[in-house]
Amino acid sequence: MSVTTPVKISLPLTYQQDLFNEIKEEDGLVILARGLGVARIVTSLLHTYDVAGDNLVIILGADERENERIGESLVEQAAITKVSKAKGLNIVNTDAMTVGMRQKMYARGGIFSITSRILVVDMLTKGLINPETITGFVVLHAERVIATSLQAFILRIFRQKNKDGFIKAFSDNPEPFTTGFSPLATMMRNLFVRRSMLWPRFHVTVSKSLEARKPEVIELEVSMTDSMRDIQTAVLECIEVSISELRRSNSQHLELEDWTLDSALHKSFDVIIRRQLDPVWHRVSYKTRQIVADLTVLRGILHSLLTYDCVSFHRYLETIMAANAPPPGSTRQTESPWLYLDAAHTIFALAKSRAYTGTYVRGNDRGTSEIPRGLVPVLEEQPKWAVLAEVLREIEHDIYVNPVPLETSNGTTLIMCSDQATCRQIREYLQTMDEKLPKENQGSNAEEEEDEGHPSAAIMLRRKLRAYFAWKRDFAKASATLLNPQQSLPPAQKREPESYRGRAPPNKRRRVRGGAAAAAGPSRGSGGAIQIPEDQPNQLAEMVASIQATEVEQQAKQEIADDPMEDMEDYYEMFDMKELVVVHPYNEDNDEYLLEELRPRFVIMYDPDAAFIRRVEVYRSSHNERNIRVYFMFYGESVEERRYLSAVRKEKDAFTKLIRERSSMALTLTHEGQAVSDPQEQFLRTVNTRIAGGGKLAATAEPPRVIVDVREFRSSLPSLLHGRNMTIVPCMLTVGDYILTPDIVVERKSIKDLISSFKDGRLYNQCETMFNHYKYPMLLIEFDQNKSFNLEPFADMSAGQGIGSNDLQTKIVLLTIAFPKLRIIWSSSPYQTAEIFEQLKKNLDEPDPVKAVQVGLEEGEERANIWNQTPQDMLRAVPGITIKNYKNVMMELENMMELANLEENEIIEIIGAEVGRQVYRFFNKSVFE
């Protein structure tokens, strides 16, 4: 539908105007470099359809944050345009909105953002929303639209019944479009578009638009401390050894050309490895699985080294060590392979030496200071902190000593970080950096700070050190409870493993007390793994007492945990924007709105981010009068710098591949959404071959029909059934998930759902109800197409573990004994399931949706009155809640929080004495008991 109403569009840059005009005139897929403002293009396009007033445009793939921003932008642009027909954004993201309400909203038209699961059911339901009345679709995050996704299912339904509506897809993530065979052509086929529009940063129009007015950028290369550099080198060595081991033992299963140390620094590296190993996951060794998990841990250590303070980093390493420690009395070595390397010893030893050194010497004589003899807090500061304080002082000097003429920019200073944890750390440091402690309380590195005005993190780090010792004391109690279940048993029931009586187990840690040299750092156990010497509870108590807060620390400003917002007029006032320092994490497209709202004069990029640099370029180029200075901070010769440069290079290479593929790409002409099939087969859908006794050959053009439970649209099977020319009828079913014929009902279970169904007994009840109402009940066990078609890993079976009563195979055998006539269908993927369903339906009658909905309901009961499925599954997982009593709980209570806060006698009134006490103990049990 053409838009004739004149509108005002705020797109100041040339490349934005060219891209907007191009996508407005023709359907296509837009792939834009990160940070170039895809959100502004999308909102401007939606505004042109909103002001017309008679369009029905649907947004696919938008999350909650994007819905909020799009809604605000449409309201602002409608106010500027002053058009009364604009209706703004309507959000449909919950089942609480009734069918009647949605039907009226669709009839009125406008811009809608609807979750895919709700929209696909509405489009398949007759009389709710007619695809022919939809003006078009705007698809966000187009890289997520794969052939089996709900978005591709929705676009197929739309294109089958509406040949004139538009489909415009957007993405600012080019890397996913370069994996696989002809990835761009495949994605365009899934989106039903024929044209792709590529706009990288090196595009001629983009470069001219952004290089005309560049922001002032100051690069600050920060040197890491020697200990940080040594830890980084040790972690990289562990990663390199892990990759080498994977290459050596799995060369036949993996594509190894991209397996380098550089690629291992990216967050998707371990995901790619796991995806390649999934089809043969049951064949790989336990060691290989451990290494794949270790790569994620090692990348986390690298990230934590550069972002955490020294105390938090040491605490994080201790949790990793505790997670790898075997339970007491266990003979199996569960430590990760990298813990046996010398580099691991370096990591743990240096991490502890950055926080404190030495061990506590027992005795009451502490000398003149509050620090006990033998324990010296080092409290090494992050190098970026001092540079940040210096930059802020330089900014303050520029504002007050060298004032600039009035301009539209505020004097606000914006500090951008990688995550919320770093933001909290910086805020705490800025609040306490000018407070000074007595020299004897500052730690061993205080002598280097000769300048009285030098900022210090001593108060913040001492506070964290006190919290660390308190945490360690509680953590020791929790570990003892969780890892040693026999501790809570009576003395008569505690017994030592028979194989170790009279001697220590091989993995028993040797605890060294006192001031022995062996207690100075991590040691190695009998197996060769790193072991951290454990501080005794009495030592921890003395340590905590030794670093109690001084008077200066008590007066220092604390972090605000909870503010009741009372007496706001007496204690609150408007900020002066010239003196305001805002610390904010990177938040993708929201950063663009943040710059527009704050209009900062100074920006400090505490962590490097290529997308945010481009957003600053767009912001500066869009406003002639707004000057901006950017301080770009990064650790020199660090993984942070390498990761940033590698990300920029990968994006450039991705666009280069896309441009090359587009130049030689064949044009796909089948964009009507119809599957390719034989015309004769389309006509002869069902044939009655029983022509004896004067019968006639019966044929019908009606396609086969499958009744599907609405909750099954979370899976890809309904889309694949629709792709095989079957009519999908969504209904709220009480019995079964798929009704193929009047006599055949199928209960579909993925492996994960199958395990949980056996655990809570739900599957037995479902099989019983299917046998009560249908002649041929079937259980479909469906595997993931990208994973192994196997129930139990072969490696575990060959280790001599046998099949026990709790194994999945045993439970399936017991199920078949209980229901001998139950048919079990084994399917390796949803594709095979769709083919099996097609074979099962041949030459059989079609099911009746009205009868299918009524099956299993009691007299007078309506299927519309149904509870939310996710909290229902969570409730069934609570010990004591069974298939017989869970409905009583749902009838009496609104949510899980209400159940958790009930007293014991109140729960007993609902579900009985014994079960009530069991549920109450579950919600009120302490991990330290």
Side-chain angles (χ1 to χ4, degrees), residues 79 149 161 209 260 276 302 308 422 501 546 557 565 821:
S149 63
K161 299 183 179 180
S209 301
T260 61
Q276 292 184 20
L302 276 178
Y308 287 9
T422 309
R501 289 183 179 176
S546 68
K557 183 177 180 181
M565 295 296 181
K821 295 184 178 180

Side-chain angles (χ1 to χ4, degrees), residues 740-741 744 778 825 836-842 844:
L740 304 183
T741 70
I744 299 178
M778 299 184 182
I825 302 174
I836 292 172
F837 280 11
E838 189 175 34
Q839 295 296 325
L840 288 174
K841 284 185 62 63
K842 276 189 175 180
L844 296 177

Side-chain angles (χ1 to χ4, degrees), residues 263-554:
S263 60
L265 302 179
H266 291 274
K267 61 182 180 180
S268 60
F269 180 71
D270 50 336
V271 178
I272 295 173
I273 292 178
R274 178 60 193 266
R275 188 180 301 136
Q276 292 184 20
L277 287 175
D278 269 340
V280 291
W281 192 249
H282 58 286
R283 299 180 186 174
V284 299
S285 63
Y286 175 81
K287 186 177 181 180
T288 297
R289 302 180 191 181
Q290 189 87 20
I291 293 175
V292 172
D294 291 343
L295 287 173
T296 305
V297 175
L298 290 169
R299 281 195 308 100
I301 293 176
L302 276 178
H303 174 75
S304 304
L305 173 65
L306 301 179
T307 55
Y308 287 9
D309 59 86
C310 59
V311 179
S312 300
F313 180 67
H314 177 52
R315 174 175 169 174
Y316 172 62
L317 290 182
E318 286 204 347
T319 59
I320 294 176
M321 194 68 217
N324 282 276
S330 174
T331 60
R332 186 167 186 175
Q333 295 292 332
T334 59
E335 288 92 344
S336 299
W338 68 275
L339 291 174
Y340 293 87
L341 302 175
D342 291 336
H345 184 276
T346 303
I347 295 171
F348 287 94
L350 290 178
K352 183 177 180 181
S353 66
R354 293 177 67 213
Y356 63 91
T357 59
T359 55
Y360 173 65
V361 180
R362 300 186 66 180
N364 296 325
D365 182 17
R366 301 184 186 174
T368 56
S369 68
E370 293 189 353
I371 303 298
R373 290 183 304 168
L375 177 63
V376 181
V378 178
L379 303 180
E380 180 182 273
E381 298 185 10
Q382 294 290 90
K384 278 188 179 181
W385 294 347
V387 178
L388 176 63
E390 184 181 349
V391 169
L392 289 175
R393 290 187 178 183
E394 178 185 329
I395 291 173
E396 186 178 4
H397 182 273
D398 286 351
I399 291 176
Y400 291 102
V401 179
N402 300 318
V404 295
L406 293 176
E407 52 184 355
T408 57
S409 293
N410 296 318
T412 305
T413 301
L414 177 61
I415 304 175
M416 298 299 295
C417 309
S418 58
D419 50 34
Q420 286 286 2
T422 309
C423 290
R424 288 193 296 269
Q425 178 193 96
I426 292 177
R427 281 195 292 265
E428 189 175 0
Y429 172 74
L430 295 179
Q431 291 169 3
T432 60
M433 67 179 183
D434 294 326
E435 301 290 340
K436 297 297 178 183
L437 289 173
K439 282 209 168 183
E440 60 269 14
N441 296 112
Q442 289 188 14
S444 63
N445 60 347
E447 299 175 0
E448 302 176 2
E449 301 174 3
E450 298 178 358
D451 185 9
E452 291 295 331
H454 194 282
S456 173
I459 291 180
M460 179 183 74
L461 292 179
R462 282 174 61 86
R463 183 186 301 163
K464 289 182 178 292
L465 190 59
R466 288 193 298 272
Y468 161 74
F469 285 134
W471 166 84
K472 191 170 183 178
R473 185 176 57 241
D474 294 338
F475 183 72
K477 295 180 182 179
S479 299
T481 303
L482 296 174
L483 299 180
N484 190 9
Q486 288 193 352
Q487 190 177 20
S488 58
L489 296 175
Q493 298 183 26
K494 297 182 182 179
R495 54 194 181 95
E496 188 180 359
E498 295 181 1
S499 57
Y500 303 127
R501 289 183 179 176
R503 58 186 178 89
N507 60 349
K508 182 70 176 178
R509 293 182 179 179
R510 177 171 173 252
R511 296 183 177 179
V512 183
R513 301 177 183 270
S523 60
R524 291 191 180 273
S526 59
I530 298 297
Q531 292 185 350
I532 300 177
E534 300 179 1
D535 299 305
Q536 297 301 317
N538 60 339
Q539 293 178 341
L540 294 178
E542 294 289 344
M543 291 179 186
V544 173
S546 68
I547 55 172
Q548 288 303 314
T550 62
E551 183 178 353
V552 176
E553 292 179 87
Q554 292 175 353

Side-chain angles (χ1 to χ4, degrees), residues 732-901:
M732 190 72 76
L733 299 178
T734 305
V735 179
D737 293 328
Y738 296 86
I739 310 297
L740 304 183
T741 70
D743 296 327
I744 299 178
V745 59
V746 178
E747 180 70 28
R748 174 188 165 273
K749 296 291 181 185
S750 63
I751 297 301
K752 183 179 179 180
D753 191 24
L754 180 67
I755 295 172
S756 63
S757 299
F758 273 124
K759 187 175 181 180
D760 58 17
R762 186 170 73 247
L763 183 56
Y764 287 92
N765 183 70
Q766 291 170 338
C767 292
E768 187 176 359
T769 55
M770 287 193 297
F771 272 101
N772 290 338
H773 299 93
Y774 289 93
K775 187 176 181 179
Y776 302 113
M778 299 184 182
L779 172 64
L780 168 66
I781 301 177
E782 187 178 83
F783 289 75
D784 192 332
Q785 59 180 344
N786 297 319
K787 296 186 179 181
S788 60
F789 187 29
N790 191 282
L791 275 179
E792 293 293 338
F794 293 151
D796 291 348
M797 296 294 292
S798 61
Q801 291 182 357
I803 298 179
S805 59
N806 292 326
D807 288 332
L808 190 57
Q809 295 99 321
T810 305
K811 294 180 179 179
I812 295 176
V813 171
L814 293 176
L815 180 69
T816 56
I817 293 175
F819 302 98
K821 295 184 178 180
L822 177 67
R823 273 80 166 174
I824 298 181
I825 302 174
W826 299 86
S827 175
S828 61
S829 68
Y831 291 94
Q832 187 181 17
T833 303
E835 184 178 351
I836 292 172
F837 280 11
E838 189 175 34
Q839 295 296 325
L840 288 174
K841 284 185 62 63
K842 276 189 175 180
N843 304 330
L844 296 177
D845 296 334
E846 301 298 338
D848 185 0
V850 178
K851 293 182 179 179
V853 172
Q854 296 298 325
V855 167
L857 295 179
E858 297 179 2
E859 187 176 354
E861 183 182 0
E862 296 183 2
R863 194 64 185 94
N865 299 328
I866 186 168
W867 294 278
N868 197 352
Q869 184 64 29
T870 303
Q872 190 177 155
D873 294 339
M874 189 183 302
L875 175 64
R876 290 181 176 182
V878 175
I881 301 297
T882 63
I883 195 69
K884 298 180 180 179
N885 59 21
Y886 80 98
K887 284 190 176 182
N888 297 336
V889 178
M890 291 192 296
M891 293 294 293
E892 296 291 335
L893 306 175
E894 290 188 4
N895 49 46
M896 290 291 294
M897 184 177 67
E898 188 175 351
L899 174 62
N901 293 330

Side-chain angles (χ1 to χ4, degrees), residues 574-619:
M574 296 297 293
F575 282 115
D576 183 0
M577 299 302 289
K578 292 184 179 181
E579 300 178 354
L580 187 63
V581 178
V582 179
V583 186
H584 200 275
Y586 295 119
N587 197 10
E588 299 181 354
D589 290 334
N590 269 13
D591 296 339
E592 180 181 340
Y593 298 98
L594 180 68
L595 291 171
E596 293 289 347
E597 292 176 2
L598 288 180
R599 295 181 294 169
R601 175 69 180 85
F602 306 96
V603 175
I604 302 174
M605 296 182 63
Y606 189 81
D607 299 307
D609 183 79
F612 186 78
I613 293 177
R614 292 170 185 162
R615 290 188 175 94
V616 174
E617 288 181 322
V618 173
Y619 170 78

Side-chain angles (χ1 to χ4, degrees), residues 219 221-222 232 262 265 306 384 608 632-649:
E219 289 190 2
E221 182 176 349
V222 184
Q232 175 182 276
D262 187 47
L265 302 179
L306 301 179
K384 278 188 179 181
F632 184 79
M633 298 173 60
F634 63 95
Y635 284 113
E637 299 180 356
S638 69
V639 293
E640 183 180 65
E641 181 183 11
R642 293 172 61 178
R643 190 183 298 121
Y644 167 76
L645 296 175
S646 178
V648 175
R649 185 176 64 254

